[in-house]
Amino acid sequence: MTTMTESTPGQLVVVTGMTGAGRSTAAKELEDLGYFVVDNLPPTLLADVVRLVDESHGPAQPVAVVVDVRSGSFFQGLSSALAHGATGRDTSLVFLDATDEVLVRRQEAARRPHPLQQGGRLLDGLQRERVVLADLRSEADLVIDTSSLNVHQLTDRIAESFGTAETARLRVTVISFGFKYGIPVDADYLADMRFLPNPHWVPELRPRTGQDGEVSAYVMARPGAEEFLDSYVPLLAGVAEGYLREGKRFMRVAIGCTGGKHRSVAMSEEIPRRLAELGHVARVIHRDLGRE
């Protein structure tokens, strides 16, 4: 597991999101990373909790709080409670989401009613919750769609985001994917590599992936590939600077092709390398590699 570094202490992480999307899992991982965790906290008490932690554990102690619709009318005050400088800490708002189908399945498996169900259907409660949370989702520093994530994958995402070095810097995650498996719904930016010739139709390249040197060289040599990178990477770098100015420290860039095996993988390997040359922290995830 990733361990906490000296750049992490003092941070405040507020975890919110849809019921059944994994808030408890995220809170447990943050606790394992050394955070002082408070669950189901009324937002109006946020500053008080930070003050008490400062007094009892010292201001270097990182804090994480879980806030959700169980807080009732208090929940509406979360945005104002998170106003810049309100807690005196560097604050990140994490929103956990999933599709209604997945959330219903998880809640039914847990045999728990939804807090906003009000005697109706479980889906009715989820829809009411989405309305209540819509503004917060748009304000979140990090949105994690857990629809296709298991517990271990979600804890990895949390550890990567809050247990690594240089947490004050923007972290760019580049995700290769296949359109036939669905678009990553939590991506901030998306680019389609299907304008490039498909190595699938080259017999000697078909069984290989975009991580293979010959496949990568083939993709990069196609007309338009270098031109795309030369224009798209500076665009992302400019957006990254804007994110930092607005206090956002996470950006997810999805790069797609038909199956997520050749073109998107090769380009997704190259984009973080070029971003790193520009001084940005970037990594790559190949979501659908190996599915064929």
Side-chain angles (χ1 to χ4, degrees):
M1 179 180 295
T2 307
T3 57
M4 189 174 57
T5 66
E6 291 183 357
S7 60
T8 304
Q11 188 173 27
L12 171 63
V13 177
V14 178
V15 180
T16 188
M18 296 295 293
T19 300
R23 294 188 306 255
S24 296
T25 299
K28 180 61 171 66
E29 178 62 15
L30 287 165
E31 187 174 31
D32 290 343
L33 291 170
Y35 281 72
F36 185 95
V37 178
V38 181
D39 194 6
N40 194 21
L41 179 75
T44 52
L45 299 180
L46 189 59
D48 292 330
V49 166
V50 171
R51 176 179 53 79
L52 291 172
V53 171
D54 287 349
E55 293 173 355
S56 59
H57 294 77
Q61 171 64 51
V63 179
V65 298
V66 180
V67 182
D68 55 63
V69 290
R70 289 176 296 171
S71 299
S73 59
F74 293 110
F75 187 79
Q76 302 297 330
L78 183 55
S79 293
S80 59
L82 292 177
H84 181 67
T87 64
R89 287 177 177 248
D90 184 20
T91 303
S92 294
L93 176 62
V94 180
F95 191 99
L96 302 180
D97 204 351
T99 65
D100 286 347
E101 179 183 0
V102 169
L103 294 175
V104 167
R105 185 167 65 246
R106 290 174 182 172
Q107 286 297 100
E108 289 179 342
R111 298 182 181 277
R112 295 175 181 172
H114 190 279
L116 299 183
Q117 194 167 337
Q118 300 176 359
R121 300 179 305 162
L122 180 56
L123 185 59
D124 294 333
L126 288 170
Q127 291 172 345
R128 293 188 186 101
E129 187 176 30
R130 286 203 185 279
V131 172
V132 172
L133 297 178
D135 289 342
L136 275 179
R137 191 185 194 282
S138 66
E139 297 171 2
D141 298 294
L142 176 63
V143 176
I144 302 178
D145 184 274
T146 68
S147 300
S148 60
L149 301 183
N150 59 34
V151 170
H152 300 295
Q153 291 169 327
L154 175 55
T155 57
D156 285 346
R157 287 288 305 276
I158 296 297
E160 289 163 1
S161 298
F162 298 104
T164 56
E166 300 177 293
T167 56
R169 299 177 64 187
L170 181 92
R171 281 170 294 245
V172 182
T173 300
V174 180
I175 311 154
S176 71
F177 73 97
F179 277 95
K180 70 179 183 179
Y181 299 116
I183 295 173
V185 297
D186 54 351
D188 298 301
Y189 292 89
L190 185 148
D192 185 352
M193 298 299 102
R194 291 176 295 184
F195 71 93
L196 297 171
N198 194 346
H200 175 82
W201 303 114
V202 181
E204 61 269 27
L205 299 181
R206 181 177 302 176
R208 303 181 183 181
T209 75
Q211 291 179 308
D212 184 277
E214 291 188 22
V215 174
S216 178
Y218 174 88
V219 172
M220 297 304 167
R222 298 311 96 191
E226 286 289 342
E227 291 82 354
F228 170 79
L229 290 168
D230 288 344
S231 60
Y232 195 59
V233 172
L235 171 67
L236 293 176
V239 170
E241 295 299 329
Y243 267 43
L244 285 173
R245 287 193 297 270
E246 293 299 315
K248 295 181 178 293
R249 295 187 300 280
F250 309 96
M251 183 165 69
R252 291 173 66 80
V253 180
I255 307 295
C257 65
T258 303
K261 180 179 180 181
H262 295 113
R263 294 164 291 182
S264 64
V265 172
M267 298 295 268
S268 293
E269 289 283 340
E270 181 66 13
I271 290 172
R273 187 187 68 78
R274 295 195 181 198
L275 285 171
E277 290 178 349
L278 296 175
H280 297 282
V281 178
R283 67 187 183 100
V284 63
I285 295 175
H286 299 303
R287 192 193 73 176
D288 298 326
L289 196 59
R291 294 186 67 167
E292 291 188 347

